[in-house]
Amino acid sequence: MTYSSDIEGIDALSASYNEIRKEIGNVIIGQEDVVKSVLISIFSNGHCLLVGVPGLAKTLLVNTLARVLDLSYNRVQFTPDLMPSDILGSEILGEERVFKFLKGPVFSNIILADEINRTPPKTQAALLEAMQEKIVTVGGTTYPLPRPFFVLATQNPIEQEGTYPLPEAQLDRFMFNVLLSYPSFEEELRVVKNTTANKQVELRKILNAEEIEYFQRLIRNVPVTDHVLEYAVSLAARTRPGTTLATEEVNKYLSWGAGPRASQYLVLGAKCHAAISGKYSPDIEDVQAVAEPILRHRIVRNYKAEAEGISVEQMIKRLL
């Protein structure tokens, strides 16, 4: 799939994005910002972490997305006894007395890692390595993962007893950390009306794997002006306490700031946000639009911030 120019490609991406959102809206009521963030992650070739209480349609969203994008999909329920081989696959001894590799659920285009903080660090690390390298190595043999490859992990913010929270270094592998909120009264009314009746929705396939890979390459080609680049990098740098760009509030309330990966994702996210909006180059508003979910899990508050009730979101808003 190719277009005569990048401009034509961006127009096609913007049109496809609007079609995808409309199609998903036939099943998912509300959660427009969440859908937008997930689609930006996919087109930017990143991964997404969703944080929300049970019953907010996280699984339904991923399932719907896979159908609309015509991609293979697997859901893995993370539990304390889950082993790395349960995700990656394992070697088994076949009838011919020869070892053969049995692929695990990770060999799909979209993986839903449900409640990723309920499994031990060894199993978390196995998935995170696959996310970063896009390969799986078992028994000395390397197996490439299908492209595009996208992990959407969920975390439950309540019932933290018996969980294994992802360390900051591993959270950094996720492009976005998206918080899901409860639906409004009107949205919940529509949800209940639709889900308690015999209503079947036929979803159209809008894109396929080849087209998504094309759009992922296209996003990399979107030009960025120097002042937008400098704004994105300085925004990430200003979150780092003890450095020259750090503000007085950052030095007072933060113990750690965002690393260079945040700068990369701010630029990529801004490119994609501009493209899906029909713009051919991002501006500072596009960087600001994606800043909160990119910085949220890369900033660590100190005890003073916790004692005074200063949230990460408040800190990001002040920096913006």
Side-chain angles (χ1 to χ4, degrees), residues 73-208:
Y73 156 73
N74 268 321
R75 175 180 178 270
V76 182
Q77 181 65 51
F78 279 64
T79 56
D81 60 347
L82 194 75
M83 299 295 289
S85 58
D86 295 328
I87 302 171
L88 307 180
S90 57
E91 286 189 322
I92 60 169
L93 191 62
E95 293 178 359
E96 302 83 9
R97 298 289 177 182
V98 176
F99 280 102
K100 62 178 182 179
F101 180 62
L102 198 64
K103 291 181 177 180
V106 76
F107 286 88
S108 293
N109 296 122
I110 297 181
I111 305 297
L112 173 60
D114 215 354
E115 296 195 285
I116 193 172
N117 57 332
R118 300 231 172 248
T119 204
K122 185 177 180 180
T123 308
Q124 291 175 355
L127 176 65
L128 292 164
E129 185 181 5
M131 288 165 53
Q132 184 68 19
E133 309 300 333
K134 307 286 176 73
I135 56 172
V136 168
T137 302
V138 176
T141 306
T142 298
Y143 304 91
L145 291 171
R147 300 296 178 93
F149 178 69
F150 174 67
V151 172
L152 200 150
T154 69
Q155 279 192 178
N156 183 349
I158 57 176
E159 296 179 46
Q160 293 302 309
E161 189 176 342
T163 61
Y164 306 84
L166 286 170
E168 277 70 22
Q170 293 184 346
L171 281 172
D172 196 47
R173 302 284 176 91
F174 290 95
M175 179 178 183
F176 281 159
N177 180 350
V178 181
L179 299 183
L180 279 83
S181 57
Y182 289 111
S184 67
F185 180 81
E186 290 75 16
E187 288 170 347
E188 191 166 347
L189 205 61
R190 288 173 59 202
V191 168
V192 173
K193 186 177 180 181
N194 290 352
T195 55
T196 54
N198 262 333
K199 184 179 179 182
Q200 299 294 324
V201 178
E202 289 294 325
L203 291 169
R204 290 187 303 125
K205 292 177 171 60
I206 308 296
L207 294 177
N208 57 36

Side-chain angles (χ1 to χ4, degrees), residues 38-52:
V38 171
L39 288 171
I40 289 175
S41 292
I42 290 177
F43 291 128
S44 301
N45 202 11
H47 306 285
C48 197
L49 179 66
L50 293 184
V51 180

